Amino acid sequence: MDGKNITRITMIHLIGFKTHQSIQGLMFTFLILIYCVTICGNLLIITLVSYSKSLHSPMYFFLSQLSLSDILIVTDILPNTLHAVLFEEAMMSFSDCITQLYFFAMPEALQCFLLTVMAYDRYLAICKPLHYTLIMSHRVCWITVITFWTLSMLIELILAFGISKLQFCGPNIIDHFFCDFHPLIKLSCSDATNVELEGALFAAVLVFIPFTVIIVSYIYIVITIFNIPSVTGRQKVFSTCSSHLTVVSIYYGTMVCVYLVPSREELWNIKKFLSLLYTAVTPLLNPMIYSLRNKDLKKVVRKLVILVLNLQVKKQ
């Protein structure tokens, strides 16, 4: 095909969710509630970790970064999704579509790294307690996080740049509620093999390798826990990593269902709702899981509530 005769598409049409009009209002309310609660919940985690000296540890430092990435994901995805639900479709420019993909994929990549280092943190705390403070120093934590942010940005920038160089000459309709990698690649009328290979390579780096590290870390953790003689001791040690294990299960479980299960036309609407789980529901659940299952966080919340109540009493 002669490149000079190709008319590049400039607008992307997102179909969103094909829902009955009777439940559009309900779904809109549900999503906006998720958005507000997610932002408030994750901001609360970041505030608590910054405010309380008792939470100035590597685990909570990485948790605050996880909360920041959750805020980026829902802010990138949900406003446009709300528009698509309300008006049954959404239009955006091609450049905006690429930008949305980048600011979705970048914090998702960051979360894979963060969940990995959080598993390693639990491994060190449980299996190598004498070396923990030496390895997980304040300086090492900051270097690790900066490295993860930089890697995530660069990897997704390379992918976004590769997609932007493809020819898109129509159609311009994506049967999804946001600009995801595979639905966007399907619109290309040029050879996208190299970009797809890049995507597969980065998926291996960002998903398979981190997940393997997490599994290996927990194998060692489980072995160490079973070597603890008392049942109370086992339960106490396991409780320190149960929140992280729950988040990992939800996060990787939904990702596997969306990206690794073969796509079928009749199952696409189900996969769209699964996509909604890890783009909207998982960021909502993360602060709840850590808050409800973590004694340290609950203590700080109680102290903060008592402080606010005392201030209100003094004002009166």
Side-chain angles (χ1 to χ4, degrees):
M1 188 182 291
D2 187 359
K4 293 180 181 179
N5 296 326
I6 293 175
T7 303
R8 286 179 66 92
I9 60 174
T10 57
M11 299 297 292
I12 298 292
H13 178 193
L14 294 169
I15 292 177
F17 294 99
K18 297 174 183 177
T19 55
H20 197 272
Q21 286 186 346
S22 60
I23 65 167
Q24 277 181 346
L26 184 64
M27 191 167 184
F28 180 84
T29 306
F30 174 68
L31 289 176
I32 204 165
L33 186 64
I34 284 179
Y35 183 53
C36 293
V37 174
T38 301
I39 296 294
C40 292
N42 283 290
L43 280 177
L44 178 63
I45 293 288
I46 295 169
T47 304
L48 291 175
V49 172
S50 304
Y51 159 79
S52 176
K53 289 183 180 179
S54 65
L55 300 180
H56 289 178
S57 64
M59 181 175 70
Y60 295 111
F61 174 66
F62 294 132
L63 177 59
S64 67
Q65 296 297 310
L66 190 70
S67 291
L68 182 57
S69 66
D70 281 335
I71 291 171
L72 286 175
I73 290 168
V74 293
T75 304
D76 180 57
I77 299 295
L78 282 188
N80 199 66
T81 304
L82 287 166
H83 183 276
V85 169
L86 199 60
F87 297 100
E88 298 185 0
E89 62 179 15
M91 295 289 293
M92 64 168 62
S93 67
F94 182 74
S95 58
D96 285 346
C97 191
I98 296 289
T99 304
Q100 186 188 51
L101 174 61
Y102 175 77
F103 282 102
F104 159 71
M106 188 272 290
E108 285 284 344
L110 177 65
Q111 287 201 349
C112 290
F113 287 133
L114 288 172
L115 290 172
T116 306
V117 76
M118 288 170 82
Y120 182 65
D121 173 78
R122 292 299 83 207
Y123 160 75
L124 288 176
I126 294 168
C127 304
K128 307 282 184 182
L130 298 178
H131 300 90
Y132 181 77
T133 52
L134 182 65
I135 297 172
M136 278 293 176
S137 64
H138 186 71
R139 182 170 173 271
V140 168
C141 290
W142 271 107
I143 291 171
T144 302
V145 163
I146 291 169
T147 302
F148 287 167
W149 274 96
T150 306
L151 276 175
S152 302
M153 289 176 182
L154 287 175
I155 287 172
E156 299 307 333
L157 191 62
I158 292 167
L159 204 57
F161 181 76
I163 294 171
S164 67
K165 290 299 178 184
L166 296 174
Q167 295 288 348
F168 291 86
C169 47
N172 67 335
I173 299 171
I174 294 179
D175 186 9
H176 213 337
F177 61 93
F178 72 99
C179 289
D180 204 357
F181 177 75
H182 292 296
L184 187 57
I185 288 294
K186 285 180 181 178
L187 298 185
S188 175
C189 54
S190 57
D191 185 12
T193 304
N194 289 337
V195 177
E196 288 177 326
L197 285 173
E198 281 179 0
L201 177 63
F202 291 150
V205 172
L206 297 171
V207 180
F208 180 73
I209 294 174
F211 187 66
T212 303
V213 173
I214 290 169
I215 292 296
V216 171
S217 298
Y218 273 104
I219 288 171
Y220 280 104
I221 288 169
V222 168
I223 292 169
T224 303
I225 288 173
F226 276 115
N227 286 331
I228 298 171
S230 68
V231 176
T232 307
R234 290 177 192 172
Q235 290 175 342
K236 188 177 179 181
V237 171
F238 183 75
S239 67
T240 64
C241 53
S242 59
S243 299
H244 176 261
L245 195 56
T246 305
V247 170
V248 167
S249 301
I250 295 170
Y251 182 77
Y252 280 101
T254 51
M255 282 188 73
V256 165
C257 290
V258 172
Y259 291 111
L260 296 185
V261 175
S263 296
R264 291 181 182 177
E265 199 67 34
E266 63 272 17
L267 297 177
W268 182 242
N269 280 332
I270 295 172
K271 293 189 81 171
K272 276 200 286 186
F273 277 99
L274 286 172
S275 296
L276 188 64
L277 281 179
Y278 76 87
T279 56
V281 179
T282 302
L284 169 72
L285 292 177
N286 285 353
M288 290 183 179
I289 291 167
Y290 276 100
S291 299
L292 294 173
R293 298 177 68 88
N294 192 289
K295 291 180 182 178
D296 294 332
L297 275 173
K298 284 192 278 189
K299 255 186 215 177
V300 175
V301 170
R302 278 196 293 268
K303 284 181 182 177
L304 197 61
V305 170
I306 292 168
L307 181 64
V308 171
L309 290 174
N310 287 339
L311 287 173
Q312 291 295 325
V313 170
K314 286 178 181 178
K315 284 181 182 180
Q316 292 173 359

